[in-house]
């Protein structure tokens, strides 16, 4: 007599499995999983999470600027703040070591963010890299205010003096050169001779480690380029 098999309450599989009580999980599903066990580890993960957030936010900011969804002043202020926060997080040695570099970090966390990548490479807001006509401030007589010309001239001289004093680290030169290009942009939006060299050197310095120094050859080349840029700037005032 044929007897039908007892119907199972679950779909049959080609492999049988019998739970073993001795191998049951020792972690409660209601227990919070901790990513870190020390304060140092927690601070490290917080900083890496902050960097991730900055990259995503910066990419969105670049898209908004391209679409004219925000004003130039709003873009410049927000972009400058994000770039400073990015550099500040990476100034910590343990964070920098874990981060490795931008491309490695992006691969590890499956990020694209091409616009943020380019902005972080340059290290300047787009409005500083390529000034618009609205940035130059006019004086009461319709010309550029003398105080702005004086500030730009002083920033050029201060930077050249820093090179003469053998101040060759990124920490010393990058802020000074940033002051040069920002003050110049307030005076003129013209692409004067060797203005592009200022941007190129800013990118070069931005990609260096914080404590890294220029070589003697680089310092001589930078001094020459800045002298030429200064003469080009003065020519636009005539």
């Amino acid at each position: 007599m044929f007897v039908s098999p007892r119907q199972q309450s679950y779909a049959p599989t080609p492999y049988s499995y019998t739970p073993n009580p001795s191998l049951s999980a020792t972690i409660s599903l209601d227990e919070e999983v901790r990513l870190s066990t020390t304060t140092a580890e927690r601070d490290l993960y917080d900083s890496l999470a902050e960097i991730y957030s900055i990259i995503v936010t910066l990419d969105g900011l670049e898209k908004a600027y391209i679409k004219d969804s925000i004003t130039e002043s709003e873009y410049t202020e927000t972009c400058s703040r994000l770039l400073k926060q990015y550099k500040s997080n990476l100034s910590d040695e343990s964070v920098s070591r874990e981060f490795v570099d931008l491309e490695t970090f992006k691969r590890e966390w499956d990020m694209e963010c091409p616009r943020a990548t380019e902005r972080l490479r340059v290290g300047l807001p787009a409005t500083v890299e390529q000034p618009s006509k609205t940035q130059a401030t006019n004086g009461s007589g319709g010309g550029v205010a003398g105080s702005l010309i004086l500030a730009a001239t002083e920033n050029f001289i201060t930077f050249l003096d820093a090179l003469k004093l053998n101040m060759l680290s990124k920490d010393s030169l990058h802020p000074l050169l940033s002051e040069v290009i920002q003050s110049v942009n307030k005076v003129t939006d013209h692409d004067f001779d060797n203005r592009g060299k200022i941007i190129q050197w800013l990118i070069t310095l931005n990609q260096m480690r914080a404590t890294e120094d220029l070589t003697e050859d680089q310092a001589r080349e930078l001094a020459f380029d800045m002298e030429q840029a200064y003469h080009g700037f003065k020519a636009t005032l005539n």
Side-chain angles (χ1 to χ4, degrees):
M1 177 178 178
F2 176 76
V3 179
S4 60
R6 182 170 57 87
Q7 188 173 358
Q8 298 176 334
S9 59
Y10 55 87
T13 64
Y15 306 101
S16 60
Y17 169 73
T18 302
N20 186 343
S22 64
L23 298 179
S24 59
T26 58
I27 301 178
S28 171
L29 297 179
D30 296 325
E31 182 181 349
E32 180 182 358
V33 177
R34 295 184 178 181
L35 296 177
S36 58
T37 56
T38 66
T39 301
E41 286 182 346
R42 184 169 63 252
D43 290 343
L44 173 62
Y45 293 138
D46 285 346
S47 295
L48 293 174
E50 179 72 14
I51 291 173
Y52 183 98
S53 176
I54 290 170
I55 295 172
V56 173
T57 303
L58 186 57
D59 201 67
L61 179 68
E62 292 293 312
K63 293 177 183 177
Y65 177 65
I66 292 172
K67 295 177 180 179
D68 286 330
S69 299
I70 56 175
T71 65
E72 287 189 359
S73 59
E74 289 174 332
Y75 164 79
T76 303
E77 180 183 354
T78 305
C79 185
S80 297
R81 183 172 66 252
L82 290 171
L83 291 173
K84 288 179 181 178
Q85 291 171 344
Y86 176 81
K87 294 173 184 176
S88 177
N89 277 285
L90 288 177
S91 64
D92 185 280
E93 185 177 346
S94 61
V95 176
S96 179
R97 185 169 53 250
E98 185 72 21
F99 179 79
V100 184
D101 57 50
L102 181 56
E103 292 302 321
T104 300
F105 186 81
K106 285 166 54 184
R107 282 195 302 271
E108 182 176 357
W109 298 103
D110 194 24
M111 304 179 73
E112 292 292 337
C113 302
R115 293 176 178 84
T117 301
E118 177 62 15
R119 191 54 48 213
L120 291 170
R121 184 187 73 84
V122 174
L124 296 167
T127 46
V128 176
E129 183 184 7
Q130 296 292 336
S132 67
K133 293 185 180 297
T134 59
Q135 282 187 271
T137 306
N138 292 334
S140 58
V144 177
S147 60
L148 296 178
I149 297 175
L150 178 61
T153 301
E154 289 177 343
N155 286 330
F156 265 113
I157 295 172
T158 298
F159 184 81
L160 290 169
D161 285 346
L163 290 176
K164 292 176 183 177
L165 293 172
N166 207 34
M167 297 170 59
L168 304 180
S169 69
K170 172 187 175 177
D171 275 353
S172 299
L173 296 178
H174 192 275
L176 295 178
L177 194 53
S178 295
E179 288 292 330
V180 170
I181 193 62
Q182 291 182 56
S183 60
V184 163
N185 287 345
K186 293 177 181 178
V187 175
T188 178
D189 59 342
H190 295 301
D191 190 17
F192 56 84
D193 289 344
N194 286 283
R195 181 189 180 279
K197 290 290 187 179
I198 303 177
I199 301 299
Q200 289 177 14
W201 278 109
L202 276 168
I203 295 173
T204 298
L205 290 168
N206 184 61
Q207 294 176 340
M208 292 169 56
R209 294 188 301 274
T211 56
E212 189 176 354
D213 289 355
L214 294 176
T215 64
E216 291 185 6
D217 289 342
Q218 286 178 314
R220 283 194 295 270
E221 184 180 355
L222 174 55
F224 176 80
D225 288 341
M226 290 302 295
E227 287 279 3
Q228 296 303 307
Y230 181 41
H231 293 315
F233 168 70
K234 289 195 296 183
T236 65
L237 306 177
N238 299 330

